[in-house]
Amino acid sequence: MIFLSSESGVATPADMINYGVTKSANLAVSHGLAKRLAGTGVTVNAVLPGPTFTDGLEQMLKDATAKSGRSARDEADVFVRNARPTSIIQRAANVDEVANLVAYIASPLSSATTGAALRVDGGVVDSMAI
C-alpha cells in the first residue's frame, strides 16, 4: 500500500493548517497499518512530496503568473523560494520526480521498506530524518 501524503504532514505551513492536519492523519494511518500488517508480506509506506508543479499549483498561482508575466513554471519556482525558503533545490519538483519514488516503492526492489515516510520534498523539511 502506498499513501500519498506530504511534507506538510510533518512540517505544517501556517498558511495550510487544514491540509497539514489531513496529511498528518494520513501518516498516522499508514504507519499504523504497516504495524497491523506485520508479517503478512504487505508493505505500507507514505510518500511525502514537497511543492510539486502540478495543475493544482499552477491554478493556485494563476493570478500571480498573470501579474508577473512569468511562465507558470517560473512562477512556481518563485513561490517555492519565497513561501518555502528551506527548500534545498529552490524550485518546485516535477511530477515525474515524485512518480519515480512511487514507482520504486511499488516495485519488488523495496520489499524490505515498510512503515516508512519517504520524502521527495526537495529538502523543504529541515531535518535529516523524519
Side-chain angles (χ1 to χ4, degrees), residues 2-11 16 19 23 26-27 46-54 84 93-95 97-99 101-102 117-125 130:
I2 302 169
F3 284 77
L4 205 52
S5 186
S6 169
E7 47 79 23
S8 293
V10 294
M16 297 176 66
Y19 181 76
K23 294 305 182 174
N26 187 287
L27 289 170
V47 174
L48 286 66
T52 305
F53 188 61
T54 61
R84 305 295 181 263
N94 296 315
V95 172
E97 292 171 314
V98 175
L101 180 56
V102 172
L118 303 158
R119 294 172 27 206
V120 59
D121 68 343
V124 168
V125 176
I130 289 191

Side-chain angles (χ1 to χ4, degrees), residues 1-65:
M1 300 173 116
I2 302 169
F3 284 77
L4 205 52
S5 186
S6 169
E7 47 79 23
S8 293
V10 294
T12 303
D15 60 340
M16 297 176 66
I17 294 170
N18 58 337
Y19 181 76
V21 167
T22 62
K23 294 305 182 174
S24 292
N26 187 287
L27 289 170
V29 169
S30 66
H31 193 72
L33 276 174
K35 290 178 178 181
R36 184 74 177 263
L37 295 172
T40 66
V42 175
T43 60
V44 184
N45 295 290
V47 174
L48 286 66
T52 305
F53 188 61
T54 61
D55 293 342
L57 182 59
E58 186 173 356
Q59 187 63 34
M60 183 182 96
L61 299 173
K62 191 174 183 180
D63 290 342
T65 301

